[in-house]
Amino acid sequence: MCRFLTMAVPGVGLLTRLHLYAQRRSRVQRPVLRLLSCPGTVAEDLRRDEQPSGSVETGFEDKIPKKRFSEMQNERREQAQRTVLIHCPEKISEKKFLKYLSQHGPINNHFFYESFGLYAVVEFCQKESVRSLQNETHAPSKGMEVAIPFRSRFFNLKLKNQTSERSCVQMSNQLPPSSKKLFEVLCDAESVDDQLNALLKEFQLTEENTKLRYLTCSLIEDIAAAYFPDCVVRPFGSSVNTFGKLGCDLDMFLDLNETRNLSTNKTSGNFLMEFQVKNVPSERIATQKILSVIGECLDNFSPGCVGVQKILNARCPLVRFSHQASGFQCDLTTNNRIALTSSELLYIYGALDSRVRALVFTVRYWARAHSLTSSIPGAWITNFSLTMMVIFFLQTRSPPILPTLDCLQTLAELLLKEFFEYFGNFAFNKNSINIRQGREQNKPDSSPLYIQNPFETSLNISKNVSQSQLQKFVDLAQESAWILQQEDLGGPSMSGNQPWGLVALLLPSGANRKSLGKKKSRKPASEKVKVLLESIKSNRTENFTNTNGKRNVSTQT
Ligand code: GTP
Ligand code: MG
């Protein structure tokens, strides 16, 4: 029984809680309100017509993240502003290195990592220490090429005399595990639920990786500030929404709100002062112009930014580049606040219950393993759409109200399998997915996959997905449901040396399940599922009641 208790601590219904929250407004749920209380955020959007009332304790207070999204972002940004990135010589004594830097002020924390060289991320306690370090730093000695004199927070540390000391710094890992390592870890787990959690643990962003992401944004902000001194560069997407995996891209939003606000509402007596500005015909053109100069600036002056591409004619114009020292592939956008709002929404969902993240990570990994998703843009389902599908699925679980512990246990065990069954049989041809209301709706157009954008409700976030890609998703979902159905019959103890659970799901479709095929003669997946469903349907009446009078669906095919 305890097999699934690891995932089954309170709250399958927590997602439902957000849903509930919208429906049962009289029962104000204080912790959620706390999260949902920043102006101009998801929060405010959901809460707009909330009536204040006495708070009702829900028993889930400890599950709610301690910080609001904006609080967390501001705190991390402030930390990043006190932080420097240093390319170090291969042989370095950590102790001497820290002592040397401490001349500029106390150090709050630091870590080393490797990415084509050894790097150190050092966070001072005070911002002044960064300035002090910059003031003592030399321009690089002249070589054949001429250096552009740009004083960033990215340094190169050199040793005056070579040392024979052996480097013995501890490295922080920034990369996801190999499939081989992952499969080993998964095979050592005791249940499919353990496997889901193990996969989450192996792939989720580490504290260090998150720090490095905020630092990279902060370094880019320094560049953009040359044009827009009050700008903020904020990470969004999977870097901050709690669904990021090691190695995911770094989505950045150049926030010019402060700059824009400077020119409004400043009145004194009968006078109103405005900035002289250049005007352009549309918001889109303004965005393109801003990104174009920032792109040039990154390309020409920003150390470590390479492969800068200005993709200005995309639906959402962006500048794409690699930040070599951190190893991040970066997408910089502006005028894209809605994406920040979506990130906040996912942050709230992800924080409500650890199982949400475990399920999303697993479904994303499964989709990637079968090439349902790709890092190249195209007709594939995106990770973002997949995440929305998981959330929608969780919103529509039964029972929709906080369930008893017994129900929670059963649900935790079944979630992955049910996810595949649910979408393996979803009426994509006529229904759309509505996250805002947590229900299916008639499709407003003929897009194969229609997931309504919860904030711009006339848009489909998965408009790019082709019929064939959707069909591939459905076929694999059905096959995976079938495989997990077999696990129910056997499980790890019955598997011997055979891949089981997630490993069986993640192996490539053909070769993959040969070993499973040895156990049973295999029909094509869709046929098997059909047979299985038919069998369940036809046996339903006979098998639905066992001798104890309990409901019990036959699983024999
Ligand atoms: P990764 O694949 O790990 O990078 O996931 P991600 O969530 O960061 O996705 P991606 O980098 O493709 O997009 C970044 C963010 O942009 C997402 O988290 C969403 O907030 C937003 N976004 C992406 N695609 C869409 C879309 O089709 N419609 C809307 N409205 N927002 C999108
Ligand atoms: Mg991303």
Side-chain angles (χ1 to χ4, degrees):
M1 207 51 176
C2 292
R3 218 175 100 152
F4 39 82
L5 268 178
T6 43
M7 280 189 74
V9 213
V12 157
L14 284 174
L15 276 183
T16 328
R17 237 171 87 220
L18 261 193
H19 174 57
L20 252 192
Y21 169 77
Q23 290 178 348
R24 303 181 146 202
R25 303 210 157 172
S26 56
R27 291 182 56 195
V28 176
Q29 303 187 355
R30 205 167 46 140
V32 177
L33 272 184
R34 192 182 123 68
L35 267 179
L36 302 184
S37 57
C38 300
T41 58
V42 175
E44 203 192 35
D45 200 20
L46 286 173
R47 189 176 94 105
R48 199 159 289 140
D49 36 38
E50 189 66 57
Q51 297 299 316
S53 78
S55 61
V56 174
E57 299 297 327
T58 60
F60 285 87
E61 284 72 10
D62 59 328
K63 295 283 160 196
I64 302 298
K66 302 284 177 282
K67 284 180 195 130
R68 290 175 199 148
F69 186 66
S70 61
E71 275 174 349
M72 179 273 292
Q73 283 233 322
N74 291 340
E75 225 168 77
R76 295 251 183 212
R77 175 168 173 254
E78 193 276 323
Q79 275 173 1
Q81 288 171 334
R82 293 185 267 114
T83 305
V84 295
L85 179 60
I86 306 175
H87 181 235
C88 299
E90 247 172 60
K91 289 181 177 173
I92 190 167
S93 149
E94 182 167 358
K95 210 166 144 196
K96 287 182 187 164
F97 171 74
L98 293 177
K99 191 168 166 217
Y100 167 72
L101 286 176
S102 305
Q103 297 173 77
H104 302 284
I107 292 170
N108 202 29
N109 67 57
H110 75 282
F111 63 90
F112 291 92
Y113 69 93
E114 235 169 354
S115 166
F116 300 107
L118 176 66
Y119 290 87
V121 171
V122 180
E123 181 193 318
F124 287 102
C125 295
Q126 294 137 6
K127 240 188 211 173
E128 295 71 48
S129 305
V130 174
R131 173 66 59 190
S132 161
L133 175 61
Q134 281 174 324
N135 287 342
E136 263 208 11
T137 298
H138 300 264
S141 46
K142 285 200 176 114
M144 295 293 285
E145 296 177 323
V146 176
I148 297 195
F150 181 71
R151 287 161 61 105
S152 72
R153 281 180 287 137
F154 181 17
F155 304 90
N156 204 16
L157 177 68
K158 289 193 165 172
L159 294 177
K160 285 188 192 152
N161 300 310
Q162 285 305 317
T163 165
S164 56
E165 281 179 56
R166 277 196 45 208
S167 200
C168 54
V169 294
Q170 179 131 25
M171 298 289 179
S172 153
N173 175 44
Q174 308 298 325
L175 294 173
S178 64
S179 320
K180 184 170 176 281
K181 164 143 192 255
L182 176 70
F183 287 2
E184 280 166 16
V185 171
L186 295 183
C187 285
D188 281 346
E190 291 189 349
S191 66
V192 173
D193 291 329
D194 278 350
Q195 288 184 320
L196 263 67
N197 280 328
L199 188 140
L200 173 66
K201 198 160 149 247
E202 291 291 319
F203 278 100
Q204 67 187 350
L205 299 185
T206 58
E207 172 64 16
E208 287 81 10
N209 194 269
T210 302
K211 277 187 192 293
L212 192 53
R213 284 170 190 270
Y214 276 89
L215 174 59
T216 307
C217 286
S218 181
L219 296 175
I220 303 304
E221 185 179 298
D222 288 351
I223 294 273
Y227 289 96
F228 304 105
D230 300 300
C231 73
V232 181
V233 172
R234 305 183 192 281
F236 70 96
S238 59
S239 298
V240 294
N241 65 18
T242 71
F243 296 103
K245 77 172 177 63
L246 288 170
C248 71
D249 69 354
L250 173 53
D251 302 292
M252 300 176 180
F253 168 60
L254 172 64
D255 190 348
L256 299 175
N257 231 13
E258 289 296 315
T259 310
R260 290 206 166 99
N261 288 344
L262 285 177
S263 61
T264 57
N265 298 332
K266 296 275 189 297
T267 56
S268 170
N270 200 27
F271 293 108
L272 173 66
M273 194 72 96
E274 283 183 351
F275 281 104
Q276 283 278 352
V277 289
K278 287 211 167 194
N279 292 313
V280 289
S282 69
E283 213 33 87
R284 182 171 170 84
I285 295 175
T287 301
Q288 287 169 330
K289 283 187 180 288
I290 292 166
L291 286 179
S292 178
V293 290
I294 304 288
E296 284 299 312
C297 211
L298 289 175
D299 200 14
N300 289 308
F301 305 138
S302 185
C305 293
V306 298
V308 178
Q309 298 172 57
K310 296 193 263 177
I311 310 174
L312 302 180
N313 288 324
R315 187 182 64 80
C316 178
L318 69 130
V319 175
R320 178 166 289 169
F321 59 94
S322 295
H323 189 258
Q324 258 182 331
S326 60
F328 296 136
Q329 176 74 30
C330 304
D331 280 352
L332 177 70
T333 56
T334 187
N335 193 20
N336 185 23
R337 188 165 295 280
I338 206 83
L340 204 65
T341 313
S342 308
S343 305
E344 186 189 358
L345 177 72
L346 294 187
Y347 172 82
I348 294 171
Y349 278 130
L352 287 178
D353 188 318
S354 64
R355 277 162 301 165
V356 181
R357 296 175 60 232
L359 193 61
V360 168
F361 270 69
T362 303
V363 170
R364 281 182 171 202
Y365 194 87
W366 166 85
R368 191 75 185 86
H370 294 294
S371 308
L372 285 168
T373 52
S374 164
S375 53
I376 308 162
W380 358 104
I381 297 176
T382 63
N383 273 338
F384 180 57
S385 294
L386 269 183
T387 309
M388 292 303 224
M389 287 167 85
V390 175
I391 286 173
F392 174 74
F393 160 75
L394 290 171
Q395 283 177 331
T396 51
R397 286 312 72 211
S398 177
I401 305 173
L402 292 177
T404 64
L405 188 59
D406 283 351
C407 293
L408 283 173
Q409 288 175 350
T410 316
L411 276 173
E413 170 77 353
L414 293 175
L415 278 179
L416 186 64
K417 190 175 69 180
E418 281 195 4
F419 174 83
F420 290 131
E421 280 172 2
Y422 185 83
F423 283 116
N425 295 295
F426 190 88
F428 287 111
N429 57 337
K430 62 178 198 322
N431 286 344
S432 69
I433 290 174
N434 183 327
I435 297 281
R436 208 169 172 103
Q437 295 171 7
R439 64 189 176 91
E440 300 169 27
Q441 272 182 328
N442 286 339
K443 271 203 298 195
D445 68 30
S446 59
S447 309
L449 176 61
Y450 198 108
I451 305 175
Q452 187 199 53
N453 182 323
F455 300 106
E456 293 171 300
T457 50
S458 60
L459 300 181
N460 171 12
I461 68 160
S462 47
K463 196 173 172 189
N464 64 314
V465 177
S466 65
Q467 183 58 45
S468 60
Q469 283 299 317
L470 177 67
Q471 193 53 50
K472 191 173 164 196
F473 172 84
V474 170
D475 289 347
L476 276 161
Q478 291 182 349
E479 179 166 354
S480 299
W482 184 85
I483 289 172
L484 286 174
Q485 182 74 43
Q486 303 310 298
E487 297 296 343
D488 274 1
L489 304 179
S493 55
M494 302 288 285
S495 64
N497 284 334
Q498 306 295 343
W500 64 276
L502 273 193
V503 181
L505 292 194
L506 296 176
L507 289 169
S509 216
N512 98 47
R513 296 144 182 194
K514 266 191 201 138
S515 46
L516 283 172
K518 280 181 202 155
K519 284 205 259 179
K520 290 183 195 300
S521 69
R522 304 280 317 270
K523 297 178 184 156
S526 48
E527 201 188 321
K528 269 180 305 216
V529 174
K530 221 162 110 190
V531 173
L532 179 69
L533 291 176
E534 286 305 324
S535 144
I536 290 173
K537 264 191 234 156
S538 60
N539 290 336
R540 203 161 249 238
T541 29
E542 294 115 78
N543 294 327
F544 229 50
T545 314
N546 69 12
T547 45
N548 299 325
K550 284 186 186 163
R551 281 154 67 92
N552 185 14
V553 177
S554 163
T555 49
Q556 300 303 312
T557 50

